[in-house]
Amino acid sequence: GDSVTQKQGQVTLSEDDFLFINCTYSTTTYPTLLWYVQYLGQGPQLLLKVTTANNKGISRGFEATYDKGTTSFHLQKASVQESDSAVYFCALVEGGNNRIFFGDGTQLVVKP
Amino acid sequence: GPKVLQIPSHQIIDMGQMVTLNCDPVSNHLYFYWYKQILGQQMEFLVNFYNGKVMEKSKLFKDQFSVERPDGSYFTLKIQPTALEDSAVYFCASSSPQGPNTGQLYFGEGSKLTVL
């Protein structure tokens, strides 16, 4: 079945550091790939999505490229801020399905 | 943006009791979901619901769980009886008819359930 893997449980950075959060996926369909962000005490909210392979999604300084060759969708940001501290979920929607598969989440802690 | 409201935000009950978690989805949305989150991380899919019916449910959706949306009111998750392992934060989400395939779900702020 479909799955999403995030290897990093937590990432700790200082302000202005470069962010890289690992995400790989497994599917037999043509999925839409997404990143959700969950701030403390809130529900997850969509950060960015990419529906087509080899395309890049960009939002609020974050970017992720749908790489079909390596089945990856890593999240990057050039310079993080303390306000970016949150849990980031990589997710996949199967083509033609109504179900979203979430990765286990990566908690980002940004120190001032 | 669109809001999903969840009531209550926190509920503490004794093991074996019944609990109902309520969700007021975005007004024109037709697909509804419940997710279970433990320890602030893993988002585990429980069930999705459309047109008055359960479309799909996971292994976590035990026989003690049920969902309904009577007469277009709240979308509810009922657990009867509750067990200690049901302690978690439960998130409701909704999406428009186009939403599920695009991954655009709108989540509420969660209902934290503590079973003693």
Side-chain angles (χ1 to χ4, degrees):
Chain A
D2 290 11
S3 66
V4 178
T5 302
Q6 292 179 244
K7 292 182 180 177
Q8 302 146 295
Q10 179 167 314
V11 172
T12 302
L13 298 171
S14 299
E15 278 199 322
D16 298 323
D17 280 352
F18 171 73
L19 170 69
F20 180 92
I21 298 180
N22 184 287
C23 172
T24 56
Y25 66 91
S26 173
T27 181
T28 58
T29 67
Y30 297 93
T32 290
L33 299 177
L34 315 102
W35 278 99
Y36 273 81
V37 57
Q38 184 180 21
Y39 299 103
L40 190 63
Q42 298 182 24
Q45 55 185 271
L46 184 64
L47 177 60
L48 59 85
K49 68 178 182 189
V50 179
T51 57
T52 307
N54 301 323
N55 280 9
K56 180 189 290 187
I58 300 175
S59 174
R60 300 187 242 164
F62 292 88
E63 62 179 59
T65 299
Y66 182 156
D67 189 327
K68 194 176 176 184
T70 58
T71 62
S72 66
F73 192 57
H74 309 314
L75 183 69
Q76 302 183 57
K77 187 177 185 184
S79 176
V80 294
Q81 303 304 305
E82 192 177 357
S83 57
D84 293 326
S85 296
V87 179
Y88 292 81
F89 292 95
C90 186
L92 172 158
V93 184
E94 290 179 330
N97 204 331
N98 296 327
R99 182 170 166 178
I100 296 181
F101 294 84
F102 284 91
D104 287 347
T106 298
Q107 178 154 24
L108 171 64
V109 176
V110 181
K111 298 180 178 178
Chain B
K3 291 278 191 184
V4 173
L5 300 177
Q6 290 189 239
I7 302 167
S9 57
H10 191 185
Q11 178 120 25
I12 302 173
I13 60 172
D14 290 325
M15 182 175 62
Q17 285 189 310
M18 181 195 77
V19 66
T20 300
L21 305 179
N22 300 291
C23 172
D24 187 10
V26 177
S27 61
N28 62 339
H29 284 184
L30 300 178
Y31 288 88
F32 312 118
Y33 307 77
W34 283 104
Y35 281 81
K36 178 181 181 181
Q37 186 175 49
I38 298 175
L39 298 178
Q41 291 208 208
Q42 291 177 306
M43 288 287 288
E44 304 276 9
F45 169 79
L46 288 176
V47 64
N48 59 16
F49 189 88
Y50 171 73
N51 198 25
K53 289 183 264 190
V54 170
M55 302 298 290
E56 187 180 7
K57 56 186 179 181
S58 72
K59 293 178 184 177
L60 293 179
F61 195 78
K62 303 179 295 184
D63 291 342
Q64 297 89 330
F65 287 39
S66 62
V67 291
E68 63 176 354
R69 194 188 187 202
D71 300 324
S73 60
Y74 286 146
F75 175 52
T76 62
L77 172 66
K78 183 185 292 185
I79 308 174
Q80 181 179 26
T82 51
L84 294 176
E85 61 265 26
D86 296 330
S87 295
V89 180
Y90 291 84
F91 286 95
C92 174
S94 70
S95 70
S96 66
Q98 300 79 24
N101 289 337
T102 68
Q104 177 73 70
L105 263 58
Y106 293 88
F107 284 87
E109 294 193 342
S111 292
K112 183 177 181 180
L113 176 64
T114 302
V115 181
L116 302 176

